[in-house]
Amino acid sequence: MLPSIITSPSQTHQLQTNLHSSFRTLLAAVTVTASNNTHNLFIFPKLRKNLATMVVPVIDFSKLDTAERAETMAQIANGCEEWGFFQLVNHGIPLELLERVKKVASECYRLREAGFKASEPVRTLEALVAAERRGEAVAPVDDMDWEDIFYIHDGCQWPSDPPAFKETMREYRAELRRLAERVMEAMDENLRLETGSIKRAFSGDGRHEPFFGTKVSHYPPCPRPDLITGLRAHTDAGGVILLFQDDKVGGLEVLKDGEWTDVQPLPGAIVVNTGDQIEVLSNGRYRSAWHRVLPMRDGNRRSIASFYNPANEATISPAAVAGGGGAYPKYVFGDYMDVYTKQKFQDKEPRFEAVKAPKSSPAA
């Protein structure tokens, strides 16, 4: 049986000897040193239960500052290149803050719940079920999601109820922004770019402020998950996405080698995925990953996704990476977003083609 806390190199070595090599990335994430830091993670009972099924890379981010830095950088590279998804533990965000975020997000949804029950997805699903009971043939809905959402960023009005929401989310977003920039610096290094290259690209060489937005979502219990999606499959338009997902209710899946794979709930972890702009900057070395959320009959899934995106005015093109040959066009991010908003749930390649097409010249 695994010890509840791994505290010594000898224990780590013994476990790595006894377990199949496919679990070694996970072991790196749950191997912790004795510390009084409140954000350090230990092996939770739920994690022990899911040890054999968790395959999305799990990375101990604190090891970037240790003798295991090279191995940790290689794990980040693997997550970016092979998955487009990975989970970070020991990322430096206090667990106490994450608990407060969970609390205010759940309280916020309770205030919005009546509105969701009157929403179009609920009405549509109820109509389908009623038609089915009348003996009519019905087809699953393919153009809407079973999701309650709202967005926050520095330039919009935030909910004032519950009272602690603003203070908690400001603190959380500041932590997430710093973490995103550290992740981008790791990507810079793995891509053999100068430190800060991705951030500079997103800011138009410092002329504009990158966009940092947060989407607060809940996926309430769905009585007929066979008739509607939680969130349709898509890639993310922007740069680096950091997700604080529910630690009990699953449903998030990533497409890997033609198969949908669970992104297993892991208490205290931050899920990172790469968006379309990272794919372009890396000239395809890092691919934005298709992902979706399945509706669940039981459980109210919480999902808080923060997006570190280029400024609308920023020009995006492949960076001078090893082997880069310009497989993607050069374009202004705002133009890409104009295309993406219309084609979010469609293949991404035509989006790149659309912004590559020359603008029509003014009439003579």
Side-chain angles (χ1 to χ4, degrees):
M1 178 179 294
L2 292 176
S4 59
I5 302 176
I6 305 172
T7 57
S8 70
S10 61
Q11 287 176 302
T12 300
H13 177 74
Q14 185 62 43
L15 284 169
Q16 290 179 330
T17 301
N18 293 339
L19 290 176
H20 190 277
S21 61
S22 64
F23 297 151
R24 289 181 181 176
T25 299
L26 178 58
L27 281 172
V30 298
T31 302
V32 296
T33 56
S35 172
N36 292 324
N37 293 337
T38 59
H39 59 260
N40 276 0
L41 298 180
F42 301 93
I43 302 180
F44 295 86
K46 187 180 184 72
L47 180 56
R48 289 198 297 268
K49 178 181 178 182
N50 290 332
L51 184 63
T53 59
M54 186 177 292
V55 292
V56 173
V58 181
I59 301 169
D60 184 342
F61 204 54
S62 69
K63 292 188 176 181
L64 281 181
D65 302 321
T66 71
E68 297 178 59
R69 175 180 173 80
E71 179 183 352
T72 305
M73 289 294 291
Q75 292 170 354
I76 294 172
N78 174 71
C80 292
E81 294 176 14
E82 299 298 326
W83 286 87
F85 263 76
F86 53 93
Q87 299 204 57
L88 295 181
V89 296
N90 293 338
H91 39 62
I93 302 175
L95 294 182
E96 177 274 333
L97 174 58
L98 295 181
E99 287 299 318
R100 283 193 281 130
V101 170
K102 288 162 56 174
K103 184 175 186 294
V104 297
S106 296
E107 289 175 353
C108 206
Y109 174 71
R110 281 196 289 271
L111 297 171
R112 298 170 55 89
E113 187 172 7
F116 176 77
K117 290 180 177 179
S119 67
E120 184 179 0
V122 174
R123 294 196 308 270
T124 299
L125 186 60
E126 289 174 344
L128 287 176
V129 172
E132 189 178 63
R133 288 171 179 166
R134 294 193 299 268
E136 301 174 16
V138 299
V141 179
D142 60 5
D143 61 352
M144 66 178 61
D145 305 309
W146 189 264
E147 179 186 36
D148 176 76
I149 61 172
F150 65 92
Y151 294 88
I152 57 175
H153 55 83
D154 291 343
C156 74
Q157 185 174 357
W158 295 23
S160 57
D161 200 7
F165 182 86
K166 289 183 180 180
E167 178 184 354
T168 300
M169 293 305 291
R170 283 197 184 101
E171 184 179 351
Y172 170 73
R173 278 169 45 83
E175 292 278 1
L176 261 287
R177 185 169 187 137
R178 284 191 288 269
L179 179 59
E181 291 176 349
R182 289 192 65 200
V183 170
M184 290 191 298
E185 288 176 357
M187 292 179 180
D188 288 332
E189 184 174 336
N190 277 332
L191 291 169
R192 293 183 171 83
L193 299 174
E194 182 181 342
T195 300
S197 291
I198 295 175
K199 182 179 178 180
R200 285 194 297 274
F202 284 6
S203 66
D205 286 326
R207 294 188 301 273
H208 310 287
E209 184 69 20
F211 177 80
F212 189 72
T214 299
K215 173 187 173 186
V216 182
S217 307
H218 277 84
Y219 301 91
C222 180
R224 289 294 302 272
D226 57 316
L227 292 179
I228 196 168
T229 57
L231 177 61
R232 286 163 282 174
H234 64 287
T235 65
D236 288 324
V240 174
I241 298 86
L242 300 99
L243 171 68
F244 181 35
Q245 71 165 340
D246 203 289
D247 55 10
K248 295 184 176 65
V249 182
L252 175 62
E253 295 185 331
V254 58
L255 189 64
K256 173 76 165 77
D257 298 331
E259 296 185 1
W260 289 104
T261 300
D262 290 337
V263 182
Q264 293 278 7
L266 175 57
I270 298 294
V271 180
V272 178
N273 72 280
T274 52
D276 295 345
Q277 307 316 304
I278 294 295
E279 177 171 329
V280 173
L281 284 169
S282 69
N283 204 40
R285 182 171 166 184
Y286 295 169
R287 304 282 291 182
S288 59
W290 287 89
H291 53 286
R292 67 184 184 184
V293 177
L294 300 180
M296 297 290 178
R297 288 186 181 274
D298 302 311
N300 184 9
R301 174 182 168 81
R302 179 195 64 258
S303 174
I304 305 171
S306 295
F307 305 82
Y308 197 116
N309 289 354
N312 276 343
E313 303 86 353
T315 298
I316 303 299
S317 63
V321 297
Y328 297 83
K330 180 179 181 179
Y331 55 84
V332 175
F333 179 64
D335 292 340
Y336 184 83
M337 285 303 300
D338 289 342
V339 174
Y340 179 85
T341 54
K342 301 170 186 175
Q343 302 180 14
K344 175 177 180 178
F345 302 108
Q346 301 173 24
D347 291 343
K348 61 184 171 181
E349 286 74 15
R351 303 197 291 257
F352 297 129
E353 289 297 318
V355 291
K356 181 168 67 174
K359 305 293 183 183
S360 58
S361 59

